[in-house]
Amino acid sequence: MSAASYLQLINTRYPIIQAPMAGVQDSRLALAVTRAGGLGSVPCGMLDAAQVRAEIAKLRAADAAIYNLNFFCHTLPELDWNVQARWLQRLQPYFAELELEFDPQQLGALRLPFDHQMADAIAEFAPPVMSFHFGLPDAQLLQRVKQWGAVVMASATTKAEGMWLQQHGADIVIAQGAEAGGHRGMFLNLDVTEQPSTSHLLAELCSVLDVPVVAAGGIADMEQIHTMMQSGASAVQIGTAYLLCDEAITTPLHRDALMSGPHQQTELTNLFSGRPARGIANRLMRDLGNLHQDAPPFPYAAIAINQLRKAAEAKGRADFTPLWSGQNRTGCKAISAYELTFEFAQAFSIS
Ligand SMILES: Cc1cc2nc3c(=O)[nH]c(=O)nc-3n(C[C@H](O)[C@H](O)[C@H](O)COP(=O)(O)O)c2cc1C
């Protein structure tokens, strides 16, 4: 499949997608990328319906004809206070150190799956593109989204997930390689040891899928974009490289970590949310180990961590802050996302 197959579905100048990144960006970053000819994405996975509507209103006020709204599609288990108690026991020394009492009333902004209520809230806007992480909505809900005319994209982290997504109605599959920052979109096999690299997964998916395949993970400059397109990608999705941009709302602590040298390794951890995600190693990860069996299931591990995070950040410490980042930070630049997208677009003039 060529870039043309992607551009037929998504009418942008360049086959470049700014990856949706919950917590570090909003419609401002998306608009800058869209203006430069890419596809801007708004992460809606941690927003309520009123917040999502407000973001769409901003996009429409700026006359953005094309944009992507991103949602999560995980199954939400019951909140189990016994599991929370075990997790709190692990975290107790940190609460003591910060002279903090766990507050069970403060659940924080939990990541909730896309549902009919959210669909009711956004239906009137008929979003042109929607992308999903952790699978797809159920058949009826997906049908509803498609009836609005939305082009549906979803992340695959393995060949089997890519095939599942195509079979269940994704118009475009995002090949999220192991290098990618933030949460792994994994939903069939949760074994982190079986996650292929971006180039490996791209090759596998291009050989079995009929829909366009987008390469995501570790892409940070025009040469890498060119290589991915030569290897069969119909488009590229770039996240980490946008994290230092003027329009991102990445916190100063997170920016500092991103600017630290390559010796600050990224690792996959479930400590911050309950699901594996890639970020720069910090104290909590070093103390408890990156993957901990006592971490409550997604998204509930975040309840206690967010309370620790807030208290530590007030003291200027990133000990409990998820410092999401992909393996490749070489493309991070503190410039406008508009400018950065233009730099990426030079890839399409390489002959
Ligand atoms: C800070 C951060 C937050 C992310 N949040 C989301 C999200 O809300 N939804 C989503 O689908 N993907 C999310 N991702 C994953 C990206 O969509 C994408 O797969 C990844 O950024 C690509 O790899 P790269 O970071 O190496 O460019 C996030 C990534 C980062 C770095």
Side-chain angles (χ1 to χ4, degrees):
M1 283 264 166
S2 61
S5 61
Y6 165 88
L7 293 171
Q8 250 170 16
L9 290 170
I10 300 201
N11 188 17
T12 52
R13 183 153 181 214
Y14 304 112
I16 296 175
I17 305 170
Q18 163 255 312
M21 296 183 286
V24 296
Q25 55 109 175
D26 55 25
S27 53
R28 200 165 153 242
L29 184 80
L31 272 171
V33 174
T34 294
R35 282 203 187 105
L39 177 67
S41 304
V42 178
C44 303
M46 286 171 72
L47 305 183
D48 62 28
Q51 290 169 321
V52 173
R53 285 173 63 90
E55 287 296 280
I56 300 175
K58 286 183 204 161
L59 294 164
R60 289 166 69 96
D63 281 333
I66 185 113
Y67 56 85
N68 169 34
L69 298 185
N70 172 259
F71 291 93
F72 298 145
C73 284
H74 53 292
T75 338
L76 191 68
E78 286 287 313
L79 174 54
D80 183 337
W81 283 106
N82 292 325
V83 175
Q84 286 292 328
R86 208 163 48 229
W87 187 224
L88 276 172
Q89 218 174 348
R90 290 266 157 239
L91 303 177
Q92 193 45 48
Y94 303 122
F95 277 95
E97 182 187 310
L98 289 163
E99 294 174 357
L100 194 67
E101 190 92 27
F102 173 71
D103 181 354
Q105 303 300 322
Q106 291 221 358
L107 297 186
L110 285 176
R111 300 159 172 98
L112 299 176
F114 183 68
D115 58 11
H116 279 286
Q117 219 179 327
M118 184 63 85
D120 290 343
I122 63 172
E124 68 179 279
F125 303 113
V129 184
M130 293 181 65
S131 73
F132 295 101
H133 218 44
F134 314 131
L136 282 171
D138 67 46
Q140 201 201 1
L141 189 50
L142 186 65
Q143 191 55 27
R144 198 173 162 196
V145 162
K146 289 202 157 199
Q147 272 165 1
W148 303 335
V151 176
V152 170
M153 309 195 288
S155 301
T157 67
T158 59
K159 182 175 161 186
E161 286 179 351
M163 291 168 72
W164 187 98
L165 290 172
Q166 173 175 288
Q167 203 183 354
H168 287 80
D171 301 308
I172 293 171
V173 169
I174 301 160
Q176 192 197 31
E179 301 93 323
H183 282 89
R184 311 287 312 136
M186 55 212 301
F187 59 96
L188 289 183
N189 176 358
L190 297 186
D191 182 354
V192 288
T193 62
E194 290 177 20
Q195 296 275 286
S197 68
T198 304
S199 54
H200 188 104
L201 182 60
L202 176 67
E204 281 193 319
L205 291 180
C206 287
S207 70
V208 291
L209 299 188
D210 301 317
V211 297
V213 180
V214 176
I219 305 167
D221 62 36
M222 66 172 182
E223 279 84 16
Q224 288 159 352
I225 295 174
H226 181 71
T227 306
M228 287 297 164
M229 300 301 292
Q230 295 290 99
S231 309
S234 294
V236 291
Q237 175 165 285
I238 300 172
T240 299
Y242 282 106
L243 285 174
L244 293 185
C245 283
D246 306 340
E247 299 87 347
I249 52 172
T250 315
T251 61
L253 277 177
H254 196 169
R255 284 176 192 261
D256 285 349
L258 289 161
M259 287 186 288
S260 61
H263 59 281
Q264 292 276 45
Q265 295 283 330
T266 62
E267 309 279 356
L268 284 180
T269 179
N270 69 344
L271 298 176
F272 298 103
S273 68
R275 262 181 178 267
R278 183 172 294 285
I280 297 169
N282 65 357
R283 177 181 171 199
L284 186 70
M285 291 159 74
R286 280 189 291 270
D287 284 2
L288 296 191
N290 298 328
L291 300 166
H292 203 291
Q293 59 182 19
D294 288 347
F298 185 88
Y300 300 125
I303 298 173
I305 295 290
N306 281 345
Q307 296 183 21
L308 289 173
R309 171 186 176 173
K310 210 168 144 201
E313 285 184 357
K315 295 174 192 279
R317 283 162 37 196
D319 295 357
F320 308 102
T321 304
L323 301 167
W324 301 141
S325 167
Q327 278 178 358
N328 185 358
R329 299 201 290 277
T330 58
C332 292
K333 287 188 186 171
I335 59 173
S336 144
Y338 180 82
E339 240 177 280
L340 189 58
T341 306
F342 265 121
E343 286 189 15
F344 292 149
Q346 302 307 311
F348 302 100
S349 334
I350 301 176
S351 48

